[in-house]
Amino acid sequence: MNLFFNKSFLGFSSKILFISSLLFVFPINSYSQTWPNQTIKLIVPFPAGGGTDALARTISIELSKVLNQTVYVENKPGANGIIGAQFVALAPPDGNTILMTIASFAISPAFSKKLPFDVDKDFAPVSLVAKYPYLLTTGSQSELKTFKQFYEYAKKYPGKLSYASSGNGSGPHLGMELINDRLGLQTIHVPYKGAAPANNDLLGGNVDLMLNNLLASSSLIKSKKLNVLAVTTAQRSNALPDVPTLIELGYPNMEVVGWYGVFLPEKTPKMIVNKLSEAIKKVIQNPDILARLSQDGAIPIASTPNEFKDFFIADKNRWLQLSKKIHLELD
């Protein structure tokens, strides 16, 4: 009697567990198929007015049209993008909270051991949006108007020049550290909470130079408020054809490229990840968006999730190698 009851009960329990699992899976699949069905937040982990913010606001307008759903930008600055990224990592994996970030997201794991998230385990790569060059810039009031003048002054007066960045561990920060290392220079780092406040102090003469994001500084360059000493890409930028590259100036292996990318929380269903990736591709292929990116010197990409994942891992490993060489920790 007990044996029969136990077998019957176990069989009944198994059926209940099986049905429960189906009830858990079906709503997720159903939700994935109907996504997006509510307003979407595009989180920018930097202040308004910077390059990431400008691009996110441009893309959000077109993304709203492609997805037929409102996509609005929400700025969550702080800790060089860590605060905004953590917000997304902890968000429900329903596709309604998106992260648009930059190269510092691949840099931070190499130089910090205290991140509140794991970039590999807590996020799902969606798409590499664009790449862009960095520019070595000084304020228009500066006497350093060419790379030669900067180099000779920095060599003669080590530790005298200061450089701004959009934050500790950012692409401009580590890119400048790479330049210091390769050229045997000593310049003092002054971090800010984003490119906009850093550029404000550069214009005011409170810092001497900055490895600038082209998108964040294009309007300042056009208005001749900044001097551009060199670009960091292997080839000259179409947006600044008269500005030489560091490689042209005689410094090989000095390419430093920034990027913009989109991530979702790690457990977001693949169906949603793929839908968002395809939507971003449509946005980037829009002639108006292409023209805007090209005008600002960015290189449109719009990769698949797998392509972006491979790119991200390779970039992260490159910065890890640099961190071991220069022994810099940001904690």
Side-chain angles (χ1 to χ4, degrees):
M1 233 2 228
N2 289 338
L3 182 61
F4 174 77
F5 173 78
N6 289 340
K7 286 182 178 179
S8 299
F9 180 77
L10 288 174
F12 178 75
S13 299
S14 298
K15 289 179 181 178
I16 291 295
L17 289 173
F18 177 72
I19 292 171
S20 298
S21 66
L22 290 180
L23 291 174
F24 177 75
V25 171
F26 285 165
I28 293 178
N29 290 337
S30 177
Y31 182 86
S32 300
Q33 292 170 359
T34 59
W35 181 89
N37 52 15
Q38 66 183 70
T39 299
I40 297 171
K41 291 183 290 189
L42 180 56
I43 303 299
V44 172
F46 303 101
T52 313
D53 179 71
L55 180 61
R57 292 182 187 280
T58 299
I59 287 180
S60 66
I61 296 171
E62 296 303 318
L63 198 57
S64 296
K65 297 176 184 177
V66 172
L67 294 174
N68 195 30
Q69 186 60 254
T70 301
V71 179
Y72 73 93
V73 173
E74 184 173 325
N75 299 88
K76 288 190 174 295
N80 191 36
I82 292 176
I83 291 176
Q86 184 181 21
F87 178 83
V88 175
L90 297 175
D94 55 12
N96 297 320
T97 307
I98 304 170
L99 173 68
M100 175 174 280
T101 190
I102 58 177
S104 59
F105 196 62
I107 293 171
S108 295
F111 294 91
S112 177
K113 297 178 181 178
K114 297 181 180 180
L115 293 178
F117 49 74
D118 187 315
V119 296
D120 297 311
K121 296 180 180 179
D122 294 334
F123 298 90
V126 177
S127 178
L128 178 63
V129 175
K131 296 180 182 179
Y132 58 88
Y134 292 117
L135 318 172
L136 187 61
T137 59
T138 58
S140 58
Q141 81 290 341
S142 174
E143 296 180 358
L144 306 177
K145 299 185 184 300
T146 68
F147 186 83
K148 181 179 179 182
Q149 290 173 336
F150 152 71
Y151 177 78
E152 291 177 349
Y153 189 94
K155 273 292 189 182
K156 187 176 181 179
Y157 303 103
K160 183 73 179 292
L161 294 177
S162 60
Y163 74 92
S165 82
S166 51
N168 276 317
S170 64
H173 172 202
L174 276 306
M176 195 64 209
E177 287 300 321
L178 180 63
I179 291 174
N180 283 337
D181 178 65
R182 297 282 175 84
L183 304 186
L185 305 178
Q186 294 180 31
T187 58
I188 307 302
H189 179 220
V190 183
Y192 291 81
K193 292 183 178 180
N199 271 317
N200 287 338
D201 267 15
L202 181 62
L203 295 176
N206 297 319
V207 287
D208 298 301
L209 61 146
M210 179 176 175
L211 197 61
N212 232 312
N213 172 336
L214 180 53
L215 281 175
S217 59
S218 60
S219 62
L220 298 174
I221 294 167
K222 291 173 184 176
S223 60
K224 297 184 179 181
K225 293 181 179 179
L226 291 179
N227 305 313
V228 185
L229 313 187
V231 297
T232 64
T233 40
Q235 294 82 30
R236 293 193 182 199
S237 169
N238 291 333
L240 299 167
D242 296 328
V243 179
T245 68
L246 289 174
I247 295 174
E248 280 183 89
L249 292 169
Y251 306 101
N253 302 319
M254 287 297 294
E255 183 179 19
V256 184
V257 181
W259 51 264
Y260 296 102
V262 171
F263 294 82
L264 285 166
E266 188 273 331
K267 293 183 180 180
T268 305
K270 289 185 178 179
M271 190 177 295
I272 293 178
V273 173
N274 292 331
K275 279 185 179 181
L276 180 58
S277 179
E278 291 167 3
I280 291 172
K281 184 176 182 179
K282 290 180 180 178
V283 169
I284 298 302
Q285 290 175 340
N286 182 306
D288 292 336
I289 300 296
L290 285 173
R292 166 69 185 275
L293 289 171
S294 299
Q295 180 182 356
D296 290 332
I299 305 168
I301 304 295
S303 66
T304 65
N306 286 336
E307 289 170 342
F308 185 29
K309 181 179 180 179
D310 292 342
F311 170 86
F312 179 73
I313 291 173
D315 197 45
K316 180 165 60 75
N317 289 339
R318 179 179 66 154
W319 292 112
L320 181 61
Q321 292 174 0
L322 177 64
S323 71
K324 291 178 179 178
K325 181 179 180 181
I326 67 176
H327 305 291
L328 174 66
E329 289 190 9
L330 301 174
D331 293 328

